[in-house]
Amino acid sequence: MDSRPIGVFDSGIGGLTVVKEIMNLLPDENIVYFGDTARVPYGTKSKEIVTRYSFQCIKFLLENKVKAIVVACNTASASSLDIAKQSFDIPFIGVVEPGAVAACNMTKVNKIGIIGTEGTVSSGAYEKAINIINNNVKMVLKACPLFVPIVEEGWQESEIASLTAQQYLHSLKGSGIDALVLACTHYPLLQNTIGKFMGDSIRLVNPAFETAKALKQMLTESNLHNCSNDNCADGSVKYKYFVSDNPVKFKKIGENFLQKPINHVEKIDIERY
Ligand code: DGL
């Protein structure tokens, strides 16, 4: 049993979709979340910059004595997870591999669609992860950058969201895929809109949910759970939120992502790390 928190970071607010799934699946775990709101988006930045930023996020979380780190950002997982694993002595979970595994299990026709930021799409990380699992799978990738601001505005069910989905996804719809990975932290909030447009024959993969499942498995295998079913630590789970800018905005939008109140958000100077 290990009561230290799980560290989670993202380029900003989007990683809260992963936090939400962790809270549901692992309700006894304490969480420290860092959102790099001063430097978001990561999705348009180079691998070198995203890796430097990710390392600073990791150092901040380590200072908070976390027992494992979830890289809850597709862009950061795609560009920096491998090197982070080699550089820091702590268990890591990224969002790419769990999403890739779920998509491979889901497809019956060996053809998968992947949508994400420009950084994630151009990194080749999903192709690499999927090919390791099944090298017969064909993939169709598409960057959908406008989805991020639409979700942050809270417009996920709007006509603007539907029209944007139509514009981005019409080529994917006719491409013969039967599974579509929502490979950006924000996209699970567009699940209804995307699902409505793609239709029932294309199943959506939510890497946020798959990541929480992978984390649960990792904690069990390494005996790192805070609580083992009937033997819970002290029942008072703590969630702490830190950002590099704009805590008030984070709290407001974050409550929409989490569907629960956020009590306090602290601003820190990430350049110190
Ligand atoms: N969190 C990012 C991701 O999952 C989306 C926002 C950004 O570009 O930073 O790729």
Side-chain angles (χ1 to χ4, degrees):
M1 214 160 88
D2 188 330
S3 63
R4 288 175 299 160
I6 309 282
V8 183
F9 79 89
D10 175 53
S11 55
I13 208 147
L16 292 178
T17 53
V18 181
V19 168
K20 186 176 172 208
E21 303 293 349
I22 297 174
M23 287 170 168
N24 285 339
L25 217 58
L26 293 159
D28 302 310
E29 295 298 333
N30 300 302
I31 297 174
V32 175
Y33 181 88
F34 175 68
D36 198 359
T37 48
R39 306 187 294 193
V40 69
Y42 283 9
T44 50
K45 297 194 170 78
S46 68
K47 182 180 165 78
E48 291 68 35
I49 293 284
V50 174
T51 302
R52 181 162 76 78
Y53 289 176
S54 298
F55 274 35
Q56 288 177 309
C57 300
I58 292 165
K59 286 178 193 163
F60 169 73
L61 291 173
L62 290 174
E63 194 180 87
N64 280 270
K65 311 243 174 312
V66 297
K67 62 184 171 189
I69 293 182
V70 178
V71 184
C73 174
N74 284 266
T75 310
S77 297
S79 55
S80 326
L81 183 65
D82 287 346
I83 176 139
K85 279 181 177 169
Q86 290 160 21
S87 310
F88 297 93
D89 185 21
I90 184 159
F92 280 99
I93 301 258
V95 286
V96 172
E97 204 191 316
V101 171
C104 288
N105 288 337
M106 226 173 244
T107 182
K108 302 264 184 295
V109 299
N110 279 350
K111 197 159 184 191
I112 296 170
I114 296 149
I115 53 174
T117 64
E118 283 157 21
T120 299
V121 166
S122 65
S123 71
Y126 272 93
E127 287 103 313
K128 195 172 153 206
I130 287 174
N131 276 325
I132 290 172
I133 303 161
N134 179 352
N135 62 12
N136 289 320
V137 170
K138 295 209 166 29
M139 285 160 258
V140 188
L141 286 95
K142 176 93 188 163
C144 306
L146 280 184
F147 280 159
V148 169
I150 286 174
V151 168
E152 294 204 354
E153 285 296 339
W155 292 349
Q156 52 266 30
E157 306 289 343
S158 69
E159 203 186 333
I160 293 174
S162 301
L163 289 171
T164 310
Q166 203 175 313
Q167 181 74 23
Y168 279 141
L169 304 176
H170 71 273
S171 55
L172 274 175
K173 194 175 173 176
S175 67
I177 59 165
D178 65 348
L180 177 65
V181 185
L182 306 178
C184 172
T185 47
H186 290 57
Y187 299 179
L189 280 102
L190 287 161
Q191 209 153 345
N192 282 344
T193 304
I194 294 173
K196 235 184 258 168
F197 178 71
M198 296 306 279
D200 290 341
S201 58
I202 298 175
R203 294 173 68 193
L204 304 184
V205 179
N206 178 358
F209 173 66
E210 303 301 333
T211 300
K213 279 200 325 201
L215 175 66
K216 185 172 180 178
Q217 189 180 343
M218 190 273 278
L219 294 180
T220 308
E221 283 167 6
S222 354
N223 209 11
L224 282 174
H225 269 296
N226 187 22
C227 162
S228 53
N229 295 331
D230 46 350
N231 178 23
C232 202
D234 64 1
S236 58
V237 173
K238 288 191 193 72
Y239 301 132
K240 289 188 181 166
Y241 303 92
F242 298 88
V243 291
S244 45
D245 199 12
N246 236 325
V248 176
K249 186 174 173 203
F250 179 90
K251 179 170 152 52
K252 186 165 162 264
I253 303 178
E255 288 178 342
N256 181 28
F257 271 62
L258 280 182
Q259 298 291 295
K260 65 166 77 185
I262 292 178
N263 291 332
H264 180 66
V265 185
E266 195 174 323
K267 182 177 159 187
I268 60 126
D269 177 8
I270 195 64
E271 296 292 357
R272 266 198 320 113
Y273 293 86

mmCIF file of all heavy atoms in Angstrom, residues 125-155:
data_model
loop_
_atom_site.group_PDB
_atom_site.id
_atom_site.type_symbol
_atom_site.label_atom_id
_atom_site.label_comp_id
_atom_site.label_asym_id
_atom_site.label_seq_id
_atom_site.Cartn_x
_atom_site.Cartn_y
_atom_site.Cartn_z
ATOM 1 N N ALA A 125 3.833 8.415 -33.573
ATOM 2 C CA ALA A 125 3.811 7.591 -32.359
ATOM 3 C C ALA A 125 2.690 6.550 -32.377
ATOM 4 O O ALA A 125 2.883 5.410 -31.936
ATOM 5 C CB ALA A 125 3.665 8.490 -31.133
ATOM 6 N N TYR A 126 1.510 6.927 -32.865
ATOM 7 C CA TYR A 126 0.412 5.942 -32.907
ATOM 8 C C TYR A 126 0.710 4.848 -33.924
ATOM 9 O O TYR A 126 0.467 3.662 -33.659
ATOM 10 C CB TYR A 126 -0.936 6.618 -33.192
ATOM 11 C CG TYR A 126 -1.619 7.073 -31.923
ATOM 12 C CD1 TYR A 126 -1.442 8.358 -31.430
ATOM 13 C CD2 TYR A 126 -2.423 6.208 -31.181
ATOM 14 C CE1 TYR A 126 -2.038 8.775 -30.252
ATOM 15 C CE2 TYR A 126 -3.030 6.609 -29.995
ATOM 16 C CZ TYR A 126 -2.837 7.897 -29.543
ATOM 17 O OH TYR A 126 -3.432 8.290 -28.370
ATOM 18 N N GLU A 127 1.266 5.226 -35.089
ATOM 19 C CA GLU A 127 1.613 4.197 -36.097
ATOM 20 C C GLU A 127 2.591 3.197 -35.482
ATOM 21 O O GLU A 127 2.431 1.989 -35.625
ATOM 22 C CB GLU A 127 2.286 4.814 -37.328
ATOM 23 C CG GLU A 127 1.354 5.595 -38.232
ATOM 24 C CD GLU A 127 1.536 7.080 -38.033
ATOM 25 O OE1 GLU A 127 1.568 7.520 -36.867
ATOM 26 O OE2 GLU A 127 1.641 7.806 -39.029
ATOM 27 N N LYS A 128 3.593 3.746 -34.784
ATOM 28 C CA LYS A 128 4.618 2.880 -34.196
ATOM 29 C C LYS A 128 3.978 1.933 -33.164
ATOM 30 O O LYS A 128 4.189 0.714 -33.213
ATOM 31 C CB LYS A 128 5.676 3.773 -33.529
ATOM 32 C CG LYS A 128 6.943 3.061 -33.190
ATOM 33 C CD LYS A 128 8.003 4.063 -32.716
ATOM 34 C CE LYS A 128 8.973 3.358 -31.792
ATOM 35 N NZ LYS A 128 9.612 4.258 -30.847
ATOM 36 N N ALA A 129 3.166 2.511 -32.265
ATOM 37 C CA ALA A 129 2.561 1.691 -31.201
ATOM 38 C C ALA A 129 1.628 0.634 -31.794
ATOM 39 O O ALA A 129 1.626 -0.524 -31.353
ATOM 40 C CB ALA A 129 1.804 2.594 -30.221
ATOM 41 N N ILE A 130 0.852 0.989 -32.810
ATOM 42 C CA ILE A 130 -0.102 0.046 -33.406
ATOM 43 C C ILE A 130 0.642 -1.035 -34.193
ATOM 44 O O ILE A 130 0.313 -2.220 -34.105
ATOM 45 C CB ILE A 130 -1.136 0.809 -34.265
ATOM 46 C CG1 ILE A 130 -2.104 1.547 -33.320
ATOM 47 C CG2 ILE A 130 -1.901 -0.139 -35.216
ATOM 48 C CD1 ILE A 130 -3.095 2.467 -33.972
ATOM 49 N N ASN A 131 1.676 -0.642 -34.910
ATOM 50 C CA ASN A 131 2.434 -1.637 -35.693
ATOM 51 C C ASN A 131 3.122 -2.675 -34.812
ATOM 52 O O ASN A 131 3.279 -3.821 -35.220
ATOM 53 C CB ASN A 131 3.471 -0.943 -36.580
ATOM 54 C CG ASN A 131 2.835 -0.485 -37.871
ATOM 55 O OD1 ASN A 131 1.946 -1.143 -38.396
ATOM 56 N ND2 ASN A 131 3.260 0.653 -38.385
ATOM 57 N N ILE A 132 3.513 -2.263 -33.610
ATOM 58 C CA ILE A 132 4.125 -3.237 -32.687
ATOM 59 C C ILE A 132 3.088 -4.294 -32.296
ATOM 60 O O ILE A 132 3.383 -5.479 -32.191
ATOM 61 C CB ILE A 132 4.699 -2.528 -31.425
ATOM 62 C CG1 ILE A 132 5.924 -1.709 -31.821
ATOM 63 C CG2 ILE A 132 5.047 -3.525 -30.327
ATOM 64 C CD1 ILE A 132 6.477 -0.810 -30.738
ATOM 65 N N ILE A 133 1.842 -3.856 -32.130
ATOM 66 C CA ILE A 133 0.784 -4.793 -31.714
ATOM 67 C C ILE A 133 0.328 -5.652 -32.901
ATOM 68 O O ILE A 133 0.132 -6.853 -32.784
ATOM 69 C CB ILE A 133 -0.413 -4.008 -31.123
ATOM 70 C CG1 ILE A 133 0.046 -3.133 -29.951
ATOM 71 C CG2 ILE A 133 -1.531 -4.950 -30.674
ATOM 72 C CD1 ILE A 133 -0.907 -2.017 -29.594
ATOM 73 N N ASN A 134 0.134 -5.007 -34.045
ATOM 74 C CA ASN A 134 -0.376 -5.729 -35.224
ATOM 75 C C ASN A 134 0.080 -4.994 -36.488
ATOM 76 O O ASN A 134 -0.445 -3.925 -36.809
ATOM 77 C CB ASN A 134 -1.917 -5.776 -35.144
ATOM 78 C CG ASN A 134 -2.537 -6.481 -36.336
ATOM 79 O OD1 ASN A 134 -1.836 -6.812 -37.305
ATOM 80 N ND2 ASN A 134 -3.838 -6.713 -36.264
ATOM 81 N N ASN A 135 1.039 -5.557 -37.171
ATOM 82 C CA ASN A 135 1.566 -4.808 -38.322
ATOM 83 C C ASN A 135 0.748 -4.983 -39.604
ATOM 84 O O ASN A 135 1.154 -4.549 -40.669
ATOM 85 C CB ASN A 135 3.068 -5.054 -38.543
ATOM 86 C CG ASN A 135 3.363 -6.503 -38.844
ATOM 87 O OD1 ASN A 135 2.446 -7.266 -39.102
ATOM 88 N ND2 ASN A 135 4.627 -6.874 -38.773
ATOM 89 N N ASN A 136 -0.436 -5.614 -39.461
ATOM 90 C CA ASN A 136 -1.351 -5.681 -40.619
ATOM 91 C C ASN A 136 -2.358 -4.545 -40.618
ATOM 92 O O ASN A 136 -3.167 -4.432 -41.535
ATOM 93 C CB ASN A 136 -2.133 -7.001 -40.610
ATOM 94 C CG ASN A 136 -1.218 -8.159 -40.940
ATOM 95 O OD1 ASN A 136 -0.361 -8.027 -41.812
ATOM 96 N ND2 ASN A 136 -1.364 -9.253 -40.219
ATOM 97 N N VAL A 137 -2.325 -3.742 -39.554
ATOM 98 C CA VAL A 137 -3.329 -2.682 -39.432
ATOM 99 C C VAL A 137 -2.955 -1.491 -40.317
ATOM 100 O O VAL A 137 -1.813 -1.034 -40.316
ATOM 101 C CB VAL A 137 -3.470 -2.227 -37.955
ATOM 102 C CG1 VAL A 137 -4.328 -0.974 -37.852
ATOM 103 C CG2 VAL A 137 -4.062 -3.339 -37.112
ATOM 104 N N LYS A 138 -3.958 -1.005 -41.056
ATOM 105 C CA LYS A 138 -3.750 0.221 -41.839
ATOM 106 C C LYS A 138 -4.327 1.386 -41.026
ATOM 107 O O LYS A 138 -5.292 1.209 -40.281
ATOM 108 C CB LYS A 138 -4.493 0.123 -43.171
ATOM 109 C CG LYS A 138 -3.946 -0.958 -44.077
ATOM 110 C CD LYS A 138 -4.178 -0.576 -45.530
ATOM 111 C CE LYS A 138 -3.367 -1.416 -46.496
ATOM 112 N NZ LYS A 138 -3.031 -2.764 -46.093
ATOM 113 N N MET A 139 -3.726 2.559 -41.217
ATOM 114 C CA MET A 139 -4.182 3.712 -40.427
ATOM 115 C C MET A 139 -4.445 4.926 -41.301
ATOM 116 O O MET A 139 -3.745 5.123 -42.295
ATOM 117 C CB MET A 139 -3.126 4.072 -39.388
ATOM 118 C CG MET A 139 -3.090 3.102 -38.238
ATOM 119 S SD MET A 139 -1.525 3.213 -37.372
ATOM 120 C CE MET A 139 -0.674 1.794 -38.004
ATOM 121 N N VAL A 140 -5.449 5.701 -40.887
ATOM 122 C CA VAL A 140 -5.727 6.972 -41.560
ATOM 123 C C VAL A 140 -5.662 8.042 -40.475
ATOM 124 O O VAL A 140 -6.391 7.965 -39.479
ATOM 125 C CB VAL A 140 -7.143 6.967 -42.195
ATOM 126 C CG1 VAL A 140 -7.334 8.206 -43.044
ATOM 127 C CG2 VAL A 140 -7.387 5.715 -43.010
ATOM 128 N N LEU A 141 -4.765 9.009 -40.649
ATOM 129 C CA LEU A 141 -4.582 10.019 -39.601
ATOM 130 C C LEU A 141 -5.051 11.389 -40.066
ATOM 131 O O LEU A 141 -4.926 11.729 -41.250
ATOM 132 C CB LEU A 141 -3.103 10.109 -39.214
ATOM 133 C CG LEU A 141 -2.604 8.933 -38.388
ATOM 134 C CD1 LEU A 141 -1.956 7.888 -39.241
ATOM 135 C CD2 LEU A 141 -1.649 9.398 -37.311
ATOM 136 N N LYS A 142 -5.528 12.171 -39.110
ATOM 137 C CA LYS A 142 -6.004 13.506 -39.467
ATOM 138 C C LYS A 142 -5.814 14.445 -38.268
ATOM 139 O O LYS A 142 -6.259 14.141 -37.149
ATOM 140 C CB LYS A 142 -7.497 13.390 -39.822
ATOM 141 C CG LYS A 142 -8.183 14.671 -40.121
ATOM 142 C CD LYS A 142 -8.150 14.952 -41.603
ATOM 143 C CE LYS A 142 -8.658 16.334 -41.913
ATOM 144 N NZ LYS A 142 -8.295 16.813 -43.216
ATOM 145 N N ALA A 143 -5.153 15.561 -38.492
ATOM 146 C CA ALA A 143 -5.050 16.579 -37.431
ATOM 147 C C ALA A 143 -6.320 17.421 -37.434
ATOM 148 O O ALA A 143 -6.798 17.826 -38.493
ATOM 149 C CB ALA A 143 -3.829 17.464 -37.688
ATOM 150 N N CYS A 144 -6.858 17.666 -36.248
ATOM 151 C CA CYS A 144 -8.117 18.429 -36.131
ATOM 152 C C CYS A 144 -7.928 19.561 -35.113
ATOM 153 O O CYS A 144 -8.593 19.576 -34.059
ATOM 154 C CB CYS A 144 -9.240 17.511 -35.668
ATOM 155 S SG CYS A 144 -9.490 16.032 -36.648
ATOM 156 N N PRO A 145 -7.037 20.520 -35.390
ATOM 157 C CA PRO A 145 -6.669 21.502 -34.366
ATOM 158 C C PRO A 145 -7.819 22.352 -33.814
ATOM 159 O O PRO A 145 -7.786 22.757 -32.654
ATOM 160 C CB PRO A 145 -5.617 22.371 -35.072
ATOM 161 C CG PRO A 145 -5.709 22.058 -36.515
ATOM 162 C CD PRO A 145 -6.252 20.671 -36.636
ATOM 163 N N LEU A 146 -8.834 22.602 -34.623
ATOM 164 C CA LEU A 146 -9.907 23.492 -34.133
ATOM 165 C C LEU A 146 -10.764 22.887 -33.024
ATOM 166 O O LEU A 146 -11.480 23.601 -32.326
ATOM 167 C CB LEU A 146 -10.830 23.888 -35.292
ATOM 168 C CG LEU A 146 -10.350 25.002 -36.214
ATOM 169 C CD1 LEU A 146 -11.423 25.317 -37.242
ATOM 170 C CD2 LEU A 146 -10.019 26.265 -35.428
ATOM 171 N N PHE A 147 -10.697 21.553 -32.900
ATOM 172 C CA PHE A 147 -11.503 20.931 -31.839
ATOM 173 C C PHE A 147 -11.105 21.427 -30.445
ATOM 174 O O PHE A 147 -11.938 21.503 -29.547
ATOM 175 C CB PHE A 147 -11.352 19.406 -31.875
ATOM 176 C CG PHE A 147 -12.186 18.710 -32.930
ATOM 177 C CD1 PHE A 147 -11.836 17.433 -33.366
ATOM 178 C CD2 PHE A 147 -13.321 19.296 -33.463
ATOM 179 C CE1 PHE A 147 -12.594 16.768 -34.320
ATOM 180 C CE2 PHE A 147 -14.091 18.642 -34.421
ATOM 181 C CZ PHE A 147 -13.723 17.375 -34.846
ATOM 182 N N VAL A 148 -9.796 21.742 -30.271
ATOM 183 C CA VAL A 148 -9.325 22.134 -28.932
ATOM 184 C C VAL A 148 -10.002 23.431 -28.454
ATOM 185 O O VAL A 148 -10.641 23.450 -27.401
ATOM 186 C CB VAL A 148 -7.779 22.212 -28.888
ATOM 187 C CG1 VAL A 148 -7.295 22.879 -27.614
ATOM 188 C CG2 VAL A 148 -7.175 20.814 -29.002
ATOM 189 N N PRO A 149 -9.927 24.540 -29.237
ATOM 190 C CA PRO A 149 -10.608 25.755 -28.757
ATOM 191 C C PRO A 149 -12.130 25.606 -28.661
ATOM 192 O O PRO A 149 -12.748 26.218 -27.783
ATOM 193 C CB PRO A 149 -10.217 26.819 -29.786
ATOM 194 C CG PRO A 149 -9.630 26.106 -30.944
ATOM 195 C CD PRO A 149 -9.113 24.802 -30.439
ATOM 196 N N ILE A 150 -12.718 24.785 -29.521
ATOM 197 C CA ILE A 150 -14.176 24.591 -29.444
ATOM 198 C C ILE A 150 -14.554 23.990 -28.086
ATOM 199 O O ILE A 150 -15.483 24.444 -27.413
ATOM 200 C CB ILE A 150 -14.660 23.697 -30.617
ATOM 201 C CG1 ILE A 150 -14.630 24.499 -31.918
ATOM 202 C CG2 ILE A 150 -16.055 23.129 -30.351
ATOM 203 C CD1 ILE A 150 -14.941 23.721 -33.179
ATOM 204 N N VAL A 151 -13.782 22.990 -27.654
ATOM 205 C CA VAL A 151 -14.068 22.362 -26.354
ATOM 206 C C VAL A 151 -13.807 23.349 -25.218
ATOM 207 O O VAL A 151 -14.581 23.443 -24.267
ATOM 208 C CB VAL A 151 -13.226 21.074 -26.174
ATOM 209 C CG1 VAL A 151 -13.289 20.576 -24.744
ATOM 210 C CG2 VAL A 151 -13.700 19.992 -27.148
ATOM 211 N N GLU A 152 -12.718 24.121 -25.343
ATOM 212 C CA GLU A 152 -12.401 25.060 -24.256
ATOM 213 C C GLU A 152 -13.458 26.154 -24.133
ATOM 214 O O GLU A 152 -13.659 26.711 -23.061
ATOM 215 C CB GLU A 152 -10.992 25.629 -24.440
ATOM 216 C CG GLU A 152 -9.974 24.512 -24.284
ATOM 217 C CD GLU A 152 -8.590 24.955 -23.866
ATOM 218 O OE1 GLU A 152 -8.337 26.162 -23.780
ATOM 219 O OE2 GLU A 152 -7.763 24.053 -23.635
ATOM 220 N N GLU A 153 -14.145 26.452 -25.225
ATOM 221 C CA GLU A 153 -15.251 27.415 -25.156
ATOM 222 C C GLU A 153 -16.515 26.767 -24.576
ATOM 223 O O GLU A 153 -17.514 27.430 -24.341
ATOM 224 C CB GLU A 153 -15.577 27.958 -26.554
ATOM 225 C CG GLU A 153 -14.581 28.969 -27.096
ATOM 226 C CD GLU A 153 -14.511 30.263 -26.285
ATOM 227 O OE1 GLU A 153 -15.455 30.591 -25.542
ATOM 228 O OE2 GLU A 153 -13.474 30.936 -26.370
ATOM 229 N N GLY A 154 -16.502 25.451 -24.431
ATOM 230 C CA GLY A 154 -17.701 24.742 -23.950
ATOM 231 C C GLY A 154 -18.728 24.544 -25.055
ATOM 232 O O GLY A 154 -19.911 24.375 -24.796
ATOM 233 N N TRP A 155 -18.284 24.551 -26.315
ATOM 234 C CA TRP A 155 -19.205 24.466 -27.463
ATOM 235 C C TRP A 155 -19.293 23.065 -28.054
ATOM 236 O O TRP A 155 -19.582 22.906 -29.238
ATOM 237 C CB TRP A 155 -18.729 25.419 -28.579
ATOM 238 C CG TRP A 155 -18.852 26.867 -28.238
ATOM 239 C CD1 TRP A 155 -19.506 27.428 -27.183
ATOM 240 C CD2 TRP A 155 -18.280 27.967 -28.979
ATOM 241 N NE1 TRP A 155 -19.379 28.793 -27.201
ATOM 242 C CE2 TRP A 155 -18.632 29.147 -28.293
ATOM 243 C CE3 TRP A 155 -17.511 28.059 -30.138
ATOM 244 C CZ2 TRP A 155 -18.239 30.410 -28.732
ATOM 245 C CZ3 TRP A 155 -17.116 29.304 -30.585
ATOM 246 C CH2 TRP A 155 -17.486 30.473 -29.887
#
